[in-house]
């Protein structure tokens, strides 16, 4: 039997989708990839497991993410499931653990759905894609938190070995 996996995502600048594409390379079976921000209608009975990945921007998840998981809590709970957060705070090792990550705690507080497997990955500083206001705001946040304020280059902070371990754990569900 071929395992059918539903992967949903909510991404602003594309790093969450980049991480998901790496996970897709690492797991077996058929994958259906859906953007939560498109407000999809899904028949969960067609799938054997589900994974959701979401980015944090300026300290918040996208509204569609929380609406979706709260609306579909029962369907999500009926399948082996996992969730991961992509945020810049996870560049620090102690904040890259779900139990220590403020955004995972925020998700747990705002979401009625509690995933079986959780992950936290650092995102990317994509200064080349930001307008001057976004650059200024992100530089301020980075200065306050000890991150890079060098807007002359993009910096990918994702720990790809952690993504591989998470993929293995998800496959084992």
């Amino acid at each position: 039997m071929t395992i059918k996996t539903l992967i949903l995502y909510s991404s602003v600048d594309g790093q969450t989708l980049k991480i998901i594409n790496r996970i897709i390379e690492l797991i077996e079976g058929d994958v259906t990839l859906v953007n939560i921000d498109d407000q999809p209608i899904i028949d969960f009975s067609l799938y054997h497991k589900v994974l959701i990945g979401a980015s944090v921007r300026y300290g918040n998840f996208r509204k569609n993410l929380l609406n979706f998981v709260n609306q579909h809590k029962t369907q999500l709970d009926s399948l082996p499931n996992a969730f991961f957060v992509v945020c810049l705070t996870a560049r620090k090792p102690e904040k890259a653990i779900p139990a220590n990550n403020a955004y995972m705690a925020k998700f747990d507080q705002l979401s009625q759905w509690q995933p079986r497997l959780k992950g936290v990955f650092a995102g990317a500083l994509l200064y080349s894609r930001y307008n001057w206001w976004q650059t200024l705001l992100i530089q301020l946040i980075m200065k306050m938190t000890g991150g890079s304020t060098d807007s002359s280059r993009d910096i990918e902070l994702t720990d790809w070995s952690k993504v591989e371990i998470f993929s293995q754990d998800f496959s084992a569900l």
Side-chain angles (χ1 to χ4, degrees), residues 27-62:
I27 63 174
E28 294 183 14
D30 294 337
V31 173
T32 300
L33 182 61
V34 179
N35 185 341
I36 288 175
D37 297 323
D38 292 338
Q39 300 180 342
I41 297 171
I42 295 170
D43 181 354
F44 287 86
S45 69
L46 300 175
Y47 303 98
H48 299 109
K49 54 174 60 178
V50 62
L51 169 64
I52 299 177
S55 63
V56 171
R57 185 71 173 264
Y58 305 126
N60 295 300
F61 293 100
R62 295 175 68 116

Side-chain angles (χ1 to χ4, degrees), residues 11-168:
S11 185
V12 177
D13 290 315
Q15 191 68 15
T16 302
L17 183 56
K18 187 174 181 179
I19 291 168
I20 283 175
N21 284 328
R22 180 64 183 136
I23 292 170
I24 290 170
E25 293 173 3
L26 296 167
I27 63 174
E28 294 183 14
D30 294 337
V31 173
T32 300
L33 182 61
V34 179
N35 185 341
I36 288 175
D37 297 323
D38 292 338
Q39 300 180 342
I41 297 171
I42 295 170
D43 181 354
F44 287 86
S45 69
L46 300 175
Y47 303 98
H48 299 109
K49 54 174 60 178
V50 62
L51 169 64
I52 299 177
S55 63
V56 171
R57 185 71 173 264
Y58 305 126
N60 295 300
F61 293 100
R62 295 175 68 116
K63 192 173 188 170
N64 288 336
L65 168 77
L66 293 166
N67 289 342
F68 184 88
V69 297
N70 288 333
Q71 180 181 353
H72 297 287
K73 177 198 181 308
T74 302
Q75 295 95 326
L76 293 167
D77 284 339
S78 71
L79 297 169
N81 61 68
F83 173 72
F84 70 85
V85 173
V86 178
C87 60
L88 291 174
T89 60
R91 72 188 184 280
K92 298 179 179 180
E94 69 277 8
K95 307 265 178 148
I97 300 165
N100 295 345
N101 185 277
Y103 297 114
M104 188 61 80
K106 186 174 190 175
F107 178 83
D108 289 343
Q109 182 182 17
L110 297 173
S111 171
Q112 297 168 23
W113 172 57
Q114 296 304 305
R116 294 182 197 175
L117 174 66
K118 297 176 182 178
V120 177
F121 306 117
L125 280 168
L126 303 175
Y127 283 114
S128 66
R129 296 187 192 175
Y130 307 149
N131 65 34
W132 71 271
W133 176 246
Q134 290 170 318
T135 298
L136 187 65
L137 190 57
I138 290 173
Q139 283 177 316
L140 176 64
I141 293 167
M142 288 295 107
K143 184 171 182 145
M144 290 177 3
T145 61
S148 175
T149 58
D150 178 3
S151 64
S152 68
R153 63 187 182 97
D154 292 345
I155 304 167
E156 186 174 82
L157 300 163
T158 305
D159 181 340
W160 293 104
S161 63
K162 280 190 65 179
V163 172
E164 290 177 15
I165 292 166
F166 180 85
S167 300
Q168 292 167 358

